Amino acid sequence: GAGVSQSPSNKVTEKGKDVELRCDPISGHTALYWYRQSLGQGLEFLIYFQGNSAPDKSGLPSDRFSAERTGGSVSTLTIQRTQQEDSAVYLCASSSNRGRDIQYFGAGTRLSVL
Amino acid sequence: AQSVAQPEDQVNVAEGNPLTVKCTYSVSGNPYLFWYVQYPNRGLQFLLKYITGDNLVKGSYGFEAEFNKSQTSFHLKKPSALVSDSALYFCAVKPGGYQKVTFGTGTKLQVIP
């Protein structure tokens, strides 16, 4: 595709349920980031994948959060046992070193935990 | 560890006046610096970047930013603000190589007609 694609665009879930958020980066981009943004606030870094290197997971807020990137392309962010404070917009971005690290963002997944 | 500070949560400016959105950074080595903009109900868009070379960088929509190494700053500027510039602006920094980008907390720009 032409840009970063995230699905679903909106997700409503009940407290305690698990959710999976998907990110399709731009083809050929080696770097992939997940961020969380609450109510138009700042970006909270979650995790960073770069090529085949071990991901930087330093931003994951708890062990309920995990992410994987299969085949260096599609990434899935999983939140287990969701809590109301997990409600936010989850943004994915990808970048290429050839583009000097400009990040291209998806439209995000708006997660609402009831 | 790298960091970015955007000291103002919100900046208000009258339409037609010059605007400045402040950003300071801390990083090891030579920085890559970026500004991104998020319009209401839309995703983040790249605005401009500094990698090397001329300290004054020009970007989209008439914005520019000046890299000041001694003050470790990368303030965003525009000579004449438009109401349509009202948005959330993020400064970001990364070291060279395969390192993650760090974003500031964002500054809400409100241009008043």
Side-chain angles (χ1 to χ4, degrees):
Chain A
V4 177
S5 177
Q6 291 188 247
S7 61
S9 55
N10 283 283
K11 177 71 176 180
V12 180
T13 190
E14 294 179 351
K15 178 181 174 181
K17 300 284 189 182
D18 298 352
V19 296
E20 285 190 350
L21 313 180
R22 178 186 169 102
C23 173
D24 280 279
I26 293 173
S27 179
H29 278 192
T30 57
L32 188 147
Y33 297 79
W34 283 99
Y35 299 93
R36 179 166 71 176
Q37 186 177 31
S38 302
L39 291 173
Q41 300 301 309
L43 292 175
E44 178 185 3
F45 165 76
L46 297 177
I47 189 168
Y48 164 54
F49 296 90
Q50 173 58 262
N52 295 321
S53 302
D56 180 341
K57 304 179 181 180
S58 60
L60 294 178
S62 77
D63 58 8
R64 296 187 295 106
F65 288 73
S66 63
E68 63 177 19
R69 188 178 185 191
T70 54
S73 181
V74 172
S75 177
T76 302
L77 176 69
T78 301
I79 309 173
Q80 296 178 311
R81 305 181 302 282
T82 52
Q83 303 294 314
Q84 288 184 333
E85 60 263 29
D86 298 335
S87 297
V89 176
Y90 290 82
L91 295 169
C92 175
S94 70
S95 69
S96 162
N97 286 338
R98 287 175 295 174
R100 289 300 190 101
D101 301 296
I102 296 171
Q103 292 188 53
Y104 296 85
F105 284 80
T109 293
R110 183 176 297 278
L111 176 65
S112 299
V113 182
L114 305 179
Chain B
Q2 65 225 45
S3 65
V4 177
Q6 293 183 244
E8 302 152 318
D9 290 336
Q10 181 159 337
V11 170
N12 296 321
V13 64
E15 185 177 23
N17 282 3
L19 70 86
T20 298
V21 182
K22 296 179 180 177
C23 171
T24 58
Y25 67 89
S26 173
V27 70
S28 300
N30 294 321
Y32 290 13
L33 293 156
F34 306 84
W35 277 100
Y36 288 83
V37 59
Q38 186 176 36
Y39 296 103
N41 300 314
R42 294 179 64 181
L44 276 87
Q45 302 174 34
F46 167 77
L47 202 53
L48 54 78
K49 66 180 179 182
Y50 170 83
I51 304 295
T52 186
D54 194 349
N55 289 344
L56 185 63
V57 178
K58 294 187 183 297
S60 306
Y61 313 121
F63 283 92
E64 57 188 30
E66 186 168 11
F67 170 62
N68 187 316
K69 188 172 183 178
S70 63
Q71 297 186 4
T72 61
S73 67
F74 189 57
H75 301 331
L76 182 70
K77 300 182 179 183
K78 187 174 182 181
S80 178
L82 300 173
V83 172
S84 58
D85 293 329
S86 298
L88 191 54
Y89 290 81
F90 292 94
C91 182
V93 68
K94 74 178 290 296
Y98 296 111
Q99 303 288 334
K100 73 182 182 189
V101 175
T102 298
F103 280 82
T105 51
T107 298
K108 183 178 181 180
L109 173 67
Q110 190 73 36
V111 181
I112 304 162

